[in-house]
PDB file of all heavy atoms in Angstrom:
ATOM      1  N   LEU A  13     -27.144 273.210 159.188  1.00  0.00           N
ATOM      2  CA  LEU A  13     -27.790 271.909 159.612  1.00  0.00           C
ATOM      3  C   LEU A  13     -29.198 272.161 160.038  1.00  0.00           C
ATOM      4  O   LEU A  13     -30.111 271.432 159.675  1.00  0.00           O
ATOM      5  CB  LEU A  13     -26.952 271.273 160.736  1.00  0.00           C
ATOM      6  CG  LEU A  13     -27.451 269.938 161.173  1.00  0.00           C
ATOM      7  CD1 LEU A  13     -27.561 268.946 160.010  1.00  0.00           C
ATOM      8  CD2 LEU A  13     -26.484 269.378 162.271  1.00  0.00           C
ATOM      9  N   ILE A  16     -31.437 272.496 156.970  1.00  0.00           N
ATOM     10  CA  ILE A  16     -31.654 271.162 156.279  1.00  0.00           C
ATOM     11  C   ILE A  16     -32.617 270.371 157.127  1.00  0.00           C
ATOM     12  O   ILE A  16     -33.560 269.735 156.529  1.00  0.00           O
ATOM     13  CB  ILE A  16     -30.281 270.397 156.177  1.00  0.00           C
ATOM     14  CG1 ILE A  16     -29.450 271.100 155.079  1.00  0.00           C
ATOM     15  CG2 ILE A  16     -30.533 268.940 155.755  1.00  0.00           C
ATOM     16  CD1 ILE A  16     -28.006 270.567 155.010  1.00  0.00           C
ATOM     17  N   SER A  45     -35.244 261.356 160.307  1.00  0.00           N
ATOM     18  CA  SER A  45     -33.877 261.667 159.976  1.00  0.00           C
ATOM     19  C   SER A  45     -33.363 260.994 158.699  1.00  0.00           C
ATOM     20  O   SER A  45     -32.398 261.520 158.177  1.00  0.00           O
ATOM     21  CB  SER A  45     -32.987 261.255 161.128  1.00  0.00           C
ATOM     22  OG  SER A  45     -32.967 259.854 161.349  1.00  0.00           O
ATOM     23  N   VAL A  48     -32.350 262.984 155.777  1.00  0.00           N
ATOM     24  CA  VAL A  48     -31.116 263.807 155.891  1.00  0.00           C
ATOM     25  C   VAL A  48     -29.880 262.979 156.023  1.00  0.00           C
ATOM     26  O   VAL A  48     -28.871 263.242 155.319  1.00  0.00           O
ATOM     27  CB  VAL A  48     -31.237 264.724 157.206  1.00  0.00           C
ATOM     28  CG1 VAL A  48     -29.950 265.492 157.451  1.00  0.00           C
ATOM     29  CG2 VAL A  48     -32.448 265.669 156.996  1.00  0.00           C
ATOM     30  N   THR A  49     -29.922 261.910 156.833  1.00  0.00           N
ATOM     31  CA  THR A  49     -28.712 261.126 157.108  1.00  0.00           C
ATOM     32  C   THR A  49     -28.357 260.195 155.975  1.00  0.00           C
ATOM     33  O   THR A  49     -27.378 259.427 156.064  1.00  0.00           O
ATOM     34  CB  THR A  49     -28.818 260.374 158.415  1.00  0.00           C
ATOM     35  OG1 THR A  49     -29.961 259.487 158.347  1.00  0.00           O
ATOM     36  CG2 THR A  49     -29.005 261.281 159.594  1.00  0.00           C
ATOM     37  N   THR A  50     -29.053 260.243 154.900  1.00  0.00           N
ATOM     38  CA  THR A  50     -28.687 259.421 153.731  1.00  0.00           C
ATOM     39  C   THR A  50     -28.096 260.347 152.595  1.00  0.00           C
ATOM     40  O   THR A  50     -27.968 259.886 151.427  1.00  0.00           O
ATOM     41  CB  THR A  50     -29.865 258.609 153.163  1.00  0.00           C
ATOM     42  OG1 THR A  50     -30.955 259.445 152.903  1.00  0.00           O
ATOM     43  CG2 THR A  50     -30.253 257.542 154.166  1.00  0.00           C
ATOM     44  N   THR A  51     -27.804 261.547 152.914  1.00  0.00           N
ATOM     45  CA  THR A  51     -27.231 262.508 151.959  1.00  0.00           C
ATOM     46  C   THR A  51     -25.748 262.882 152.399  1.00  0.00           C
ATOM     47  O   THR A  51     -25.573 263.099 153.622  1.00  0.00           O
ATOM     48  CB  THR A  51     -27.998 263.780 151.757  1.00  0.00           C
ATOM     49  OG1 THR A  51     -27.998 264.500 152.919  1.00  0.00           O
ATOM     50  CG2 THR A  51     -29.461 263.462 151.389  1.00  0.00           C
ATOM     51  N   SER A  52     -24.856 262.921 151.496  1.00  0.00           N
ATOM     52  CA  SER A  52     -23.473 263.223 151.892  1.00  0.00           C
ATOM     53  C   SER A  52     -23.330 264.609 152.482  1.00  0.00           C
ATOM     54  O   SER A  52     -22.598 264.843 153.377  1.00  0.00           O
ATOM     55  CB  SER A  52     -22.537 262.945 150.724  1.00  0.00           C
ATOM     56  OG  SER A  52     -22.805 263.875 149.665  1.00  0.00           O
ATOM     57  N   SER A  53     -24.002 265.604 151.849  1.00  0.00           N
ATOM     58  CA  SER A  53     -23.832 267.001 152.371  1.00  0.00           C
ATOM     59  C   SER A  53     -24.342 267.189 153.773  1.00  0.00           C
ATOM     60  O   SER A  53     -23.698 267.764 154.639  1.00  0.00           O
ATOM     61  CB  SER A  53     -24.522 267.967 151.379  1.00  0.00           C
ATOM     62  OG  SER A  53     -25.898 267.710 151.294  1.00  0.00           O
ATOM     63  N   ALA A  54     -25.482 266.610 154.109  1.00  0.00           N
ATOM     64  CA  ALA A  54     -26.043 266.721 155.466  1.00  0.00           C
ATOM     65  C   ALA A  54     -25.217 265.961 156.444  1.00  0.00           C
ATOM     66  O   ALA A  54     -24.939 266.399 157.543  1.00  0.00           O
ATOM     67  CB  ALA A  54     -27.510 266.269 155.486  1.00  0.00           C
ATOM     68  N   LEU A  55     -24.790 264.692 156.053  1.00  0.00           N
ATOM     69  CA  LEU A  55     -23.930 263.953 156.952  1.00  0.00           C
ATOM     70  C   LEU A  55     -22.632 264.654 157.284  1.00  0.00           C
ATOM     71  O   LEU A  55     -22.120 264.602 158.347  1.00  0.00           O
ATOM     72  CB  LEU A  55     -23.694 262.532 156.333  1.00  0.00           C
ATOM     73  CG  LEU A  55     -24.608 261.467 156.679  1.00  0.00           C
ATOM     74  CD1 LEU A  55     -24.262 260.163 156.052  1.00  0.00           C
ATOM     75  CD2 LEU A  55     -24.714 261.257 158.194  1.00  0.00           C
ATOM     76  N   ARG A  56     -22.084 265.323 156.294  1.00  0.00           N
ATOM     77  CA  ARG A  56     -20.794 266.094 156.526  1.00  0.00           C
ATOM     78  C   ARG A  56     -21.072 267.121 157.597  1.00  0.00           C
ATOM     79  O   ARG A  56     -20.275 267.348 158.506  1.00  0.00           O
ATOM     80  CB  ARG A  56     -20.341 266.667 155.216  1.00  0.00           C
ATOM     81  CG  ARG A  56     -18.953 267.274 155.292  1.00  0.00           C
ATOM     82  CD  ARG A  56     -18.422 267.717 153.975  1.00  0.00           C
ATOM     83  NE  ARG A  56     -18.381 266.619 152.947  1.00  0.00           N
ATOM     84  CZ  ARG A  56     -19.214 266.564 151.827  1.00  0.00           C
ATOM     85  NH1 ARG A  56     -20.063 267.489 151.600  1.00  0.00           N
ATOM     86  NH2 ARG A  56     -19.121 265.525 151.046  1.00  0.00           N
ATOM     87  N   LEU A  57     -22.175 267.874 157.489  1.00  0.00           N
ATOM     88  CA  LEU A  57     -22.516 268.920 158.458  1.00  0.00           C
ATOM     89  C   LEU A  57     -22.778 268.338 159.801  1.00  0.00           C
ATOM     90  O   LEU A  57     -22.283 268.859 160.882  1.00  0.00           O
ATOM     91  CB  LEU A  57     -23.756 269.765 157.984  1.00  0.00           C
ATOM     92  CG  LEU A  57     -23.521 270.632 156.804  1.00  0.00           C
ATOM     93  CD1 LEU A  57     -24.890 271.184 156.400  1.00  0.00           C
ATOM     94  CD2 LEU A  57     -22.531 271.741 157.132  1.00  0.00           C
ATOM     95  N   ILE A  58     -23.464 267.184 159.850  1.00  0.00           N
ATOM     96  CA  ILE A  58     -23.767 266.520 161.167  1.00  0.00           C
ATOM     97  C   ILE A  58     -22.465 266.130 161.769  1.00  0.00           C
ATOM     98  O   ILE A  58     -22.162 266.350 163.034  1.00  0.00           O
ATOM     99  CB  ILE A  58     -24.685 265.335 160.926  1.00  0.00           C
ATOM    100  CG1 ILE A  58     -26.078 265.789 160.555  1.00  0.00           C
ATOM    101  CG2 ILE A  58     -24.743 264.449 162.214  1.00  0.00           C
ATOM    102  CD1 ILE A  58     -26.969 264.653 160.015  1.00  0.00           C
ATOM    103  N   ALA A  59     -21.563 265.474 161.054  1.00  0.00           N
ATOM    104  CA  ALA A  59     -20.229 265.022 161.593  1.00  0.00           C
ATOM    105  C   ALA A  59     -19.449 266.188 162.072  1.00  0.00           C
ATOM    106  O   ALA A  59     -18.861 266.110 163.155  1.00  0.00           O
ATOM    107  CB  ALA A  59     -19.549 264.200 160.528  1.00  0.00           C
ATOM    108  N   GLU A  60     -19.378 267.257 161.309  1.00  0.00           N
ATOM    109  CA  GLU A  60     -18.604 268.406 161.688  1.00  0.00           C
ATOM    110  C   GLU A  60     -19.123 268.979 163.008  1.00  0.00           C
ATOM    111  O   GLU A  60     -18.378 269.354 163.942  1.00  0.00           O
ATOM    112  CB  GLU A  60     -18.609 269.520 160.589  1.00  0.00           C
ATOM    113  CG  GLU A  60     -17.767 269.218 159.394  1.00  0.00           C
ATOM    114  CD  GLU A  60     -17.852 270.220 158.327  1.00  0.00           C
ATOM    115  OE1 GLU A  60     -17.950 271.438 158.707  1.00  0.00           O
ATOM    116  OE2 GLU A  60     -17.816 269.931 157.178  1.00  0.00           O
ATOM    117  N   ASN A  61     -20.468 269.108 163.113  1.00  0.00           N
ATOM    118  CA  ASN A  61     -21.064 269.639 164.325  1.00  0.00           C
ATOM    119  C   ASN A  61     -20.781 268.741 165.526  1.00  0.00           C
ATOM    120  O   ASN A  61     -20.431 269.197 166.571  1.00  0.00           O
ATOM    121  CB  ASN A  61     -22.571 269.836 164.090  1.00  0.00           C
ATOM    122  CG  ASN A  61     -23.254 270.557 165.206  1.00  0.00           C
ATOM    123  OD1 ASN A  61     -22.739 271.544 165.711  1.00  0.00           O
ATOM    124  ND2 ASN A  61     -24.369 270.111 165.583  1.00  0.00           N
ATOM    125  N   LEU A  62     -20.999 267.430 165.397  1.00  0.00           N
ATOM    126  CA  LEU A  62     -20.759 266.528 166.424  1.00  0.00           C
ATOM    127  C   LEU A  62     -19.313 266.415 166.823  1.00  0.00           C
ATOM    128  O   LEU A  62     -18.971 266.413 168.026  1.00  0.00           O
ATOM    129  CB  LEU A  62     -21.295 265.127 166.112  1.00  0.00           C
ATOM    130  CG  LEU A  62     -22.814 264.991 166.229  1.00  0.00           C
ATOM    131  CD1 LEU A  62     -23.256 263.632 165.710  1.00  0.00           C
ATOM    132  CD2 LEU A  62     -23.330 265.217 167.574  1.00  0.00           C
ATOM    133  N   LEU A  63     -18.406 266.416 165.926  1.00  0.00           N
ATOM    134  CA  LEU A  63     -17.011 266.325 166.217  1.00  0.00           C
ATOM    135  C   LEU A  63     -16.513 267.563 166.959  1.00  0.00           C
ATOM    136  O   LEU A  63     -15.634 267.455 167.856  1.00  0.00           O
ATOM    137  CB  LEU A  63     -16.161 266.068 164.977  1.00  0.00           C
ATOM    138  CG  LEU A  63     -16.305 264.672 164.356  1.00  0.00           C
ATOM    139  CD1 LEU A  63     -15.597 264.611 163.020  1.00  0.00           C
ATOM    140  CD2 LEU A  63     -15.842 263.633 165.337  1.00  0.00           C
ATOM    141  N   THR A  80     -30.867 254.104 163.338  1.00  0.00           N
ATOM    142  CA  THR A  80     -30.902 255.534 162.976  1.00  0.00           C
ATOM    143  C   THR A  80     -29.600 256.182 163.215  1.00  0.00           C
ATOM    144  O   THR A  80     -29.229 257.058 162.392  1.00  0.00           O
ATOM    145  CB  THR A  80     -31.982 256.231 163.829  1.00  0.00           C
ATOM    146  OG1 THR A  80     -33.277 255.615 163.538  1.00  0.00           O
ATOM    147  CG2 THR A  80     -32.085 257.642 163.490  1.00  0.00           C
ATOM    148  N   GLY A  81     -28.816 255.769 164.150  1.00  0.00           N
ATOM    149  CA  GLY A  81     -27.551 256.450 164.467  1.00  0.00           C
ATOM    150  C   GLY A  81     -26.382 255.876 163.609  1.00  0.00           C
ATOM    151  O   GLY A  81     -25.301 256.540 163.621  1.00  0.00           O
ATOM    152  N   ILE A  82     -26.501 254.830 162.904  1.00  0.00           N
ATOM    153  CA  ILE A  82     -25.403 254.208 162.227  1.00  0.00           C
ATOM    154  C   ILE A  82     -24.824 255.162 161.125  1.00  0.00           C
ATOM    155  O   ILE A  82     -23.573 255.298 161.081  1.00  0.00           O
ATOM    156  CB  ILE A  82     -25.799 252.870 161.614  1.00  0.00           C
ATOM    157  CG1 ILE A  82     -25.989 251.886 162.767  1.00  0.00           C
ATOM    158  CG2 ILE A  82     -24.756 252.367 160.644  1.00  0.00           C
ATOM    159  CD1 ILE A  82     -26.509 250.502 162.337  1.00  0.00           C
ATOM    160  N   PRO A  83     -25.612 255.821 160.305  1.00  0.00           N
ATOM    161  CA  PRO A  83     -24.989 256.801 159.321  1.00  0.00           C
ATOM    162  C   PRO A  83     -24.175 257.879 160.045  1.00  0.00           C
ATOM    163  O   PRO A  83     -23.148 258.246 159.579  1.00  0.00           O
ATOM    164  CB  PRO A  83     -26.157 257.265 158.533  1.00  0.00           C
ATOM    165  CG  PRO A  83     -27.223 256.302 158.745  1.00  0.00           C
ATOM    166  CD  PRO A  83     -27.013 255.723 160.108  1.00  0.00           C
ATOM    167  N   ILE A  84     -24.811 258.396 161.146  1.00  0.00           N
ATOM    168  CA  ILE A  84     -24.142 259.462 161.863  1.00  0.00           C
ATOM    169  C   ILE A  84     -22.801 259.026 162.467  1.00  0.00           C
ATOM    170  O   ILE A  84     -21.828 259.705 162.417  1.00  0.00           O
ATOM    171  CB  ILE A  84     -25.100 260.079 162.934  1.00  0.00           C
ATOM    172  CG1 ILE A  84     -26.328 260.647 162.249  1.00  0.00           C
ATOM    173  CG2 ILE A  84     -24.376 261.076 163.824  1.00  0.00           C
ATOM    174  CD1 ILE A  84     -27.450 261.034 163.154  1.00  0.00           C
ATOM    175  N   LEU A  85     -22.867 257.844 163.108  1.00  0.00           N
ATOM    176  CA  LEU A  85     -21.668 257.233 163.670  1.00  0.00           C
ATOM    177  C   LEU A  85     -20.592 257.041 162.654  1.00  0.00           C
ATOM    178  O   LEU A  85     -19.430 257.425 162.792  1.00  0.00           O
ATOM    179  CB  LEU A  85     -22.015 255.915 164.353  1.00  0.00           C
ATOM    180  CG  LEU A  85     -20.793 255.114 164.866  1.00  0.00           C
ATOM    181  CD1 LEU A  85     -20.399 255.645 166.208  1.00  0.00           C
ATOM    182  CD2 LEU A  85     -21.118 253.645 164.897  1.00  0.00           C
ATOM    183  N   SER A  86     -20.992 256.449 161.497  1.00  0.00           N
ATOM    184  CA  SER A  86     -19.997 256.264 160.430  1.00  0.00           C
ATOM    185  C   SER A  86     -19.396 257.555 159.932  1.00  0.00           C
ATOM    186  O   SER A  86     -18.200 257.674 159.685  1.00  0.00           O
ATOM    187  CB  SER A  86     -20.652 255.515 159.254  1.00  0.00           C
ATOM    188  OG  SER A  86     -21.155 254.254 159.696  1.00  0.00           O
ATOM    189  N   ALA A  87     -20.226 258.588 159.767  1.00  0.00           N
ATOM    190  CA  ALA A  87     -19.755 259.897 159.297  1.00  0.00           C
ATOM    191  C   ALA A  87     -18.745 260.486 160.251  1.00  0.00           C
ATOM    192  O   ALA A  87     -17.716 261.034 159.835  1.00  0.00           O
ATOM    193  CB  ALA A  87     -20.884 260.788 159.026  1.00  0.00           C
ATOM    194  N   CYS A  88     -19.019 260.318 161.543  1.00  0.00           N
ATOM    195  CA  CYS A  88     -18.078 260.887 162.583  1.00  0.00           C
ATOM    196  C   CYS A  88     -16.753 260.146 162.551  1.00  0.00           C
ATOM    197  O   CYS A  88     -15.717 260.761 162.663  1.00  0.00           O
ATOM    198  CB  CYS A  88     -18.754 260.815 163.931  1.00  0.00           C
ATOM    199  SG  CYS A  88     -20.063 262.024 164.181  1.00  0.00           S
ATOM    200  N   MET A  90     -15.374 258.569 160.028  1.00  0.00           N
ATOM    201  CA  MET A  90     -14.675 258.930 158.815  1.00  0.00           C
ATOM    202  C   MET A  90     -14.100 260.330 158.862  1.00  0.00           C
ATOM    203  O   MET A  90     -12.953 260.577 158.501  1.00  0.00           O
ATOM    204  CB  MET A  90     -15.575 258.774 157.595  1.00  0.00           C
ATOM    205  CG  MET A  90     -15.889 257.351 157.193  1.00  0.00           C
ATOM    206  SD  MET A  90     -16.849 257.212 155.711  1.00  0.00           S
ATOM    207  CE  MET A  90     -15.783 257.889 154.484  1.00  0.00           C
ATOM    208  N   ALA A  91     -14.917 261.287 159.381  1.00  0.00           N
ATOM    209  CA  ALA A  91     -14.441 262.697 159.427  1.00  0.00           C
ATOM    210  C   ALA A  91     -13.410 262.951 160.506  1.00  0.00           C
ATOM    211  O   ALA A  91     -12.701 263.924 160.437  1.00  0.00           O
ATOM    212  CB  ALA A  91     -15.626 263.605 159.599  1.00  0.00           C
TER     213      ALA A  91
END
Side-chain angles (χ1 to χ4, degrees):
L13 185 54
I16 290 169
S45 65
V48 175
T49 60
T50 56
T51 67
S52 62
S53 58
L55 268 178
R56 191 173 301 114
L57 290 172
I58 291 168
E60 287 178 35
N61 190 42
L62 285 173
L63 290 174
T80 301
I82 291 173
I84 296 169
L85 174 83
S86 299
C88 287
M90 288 183 64

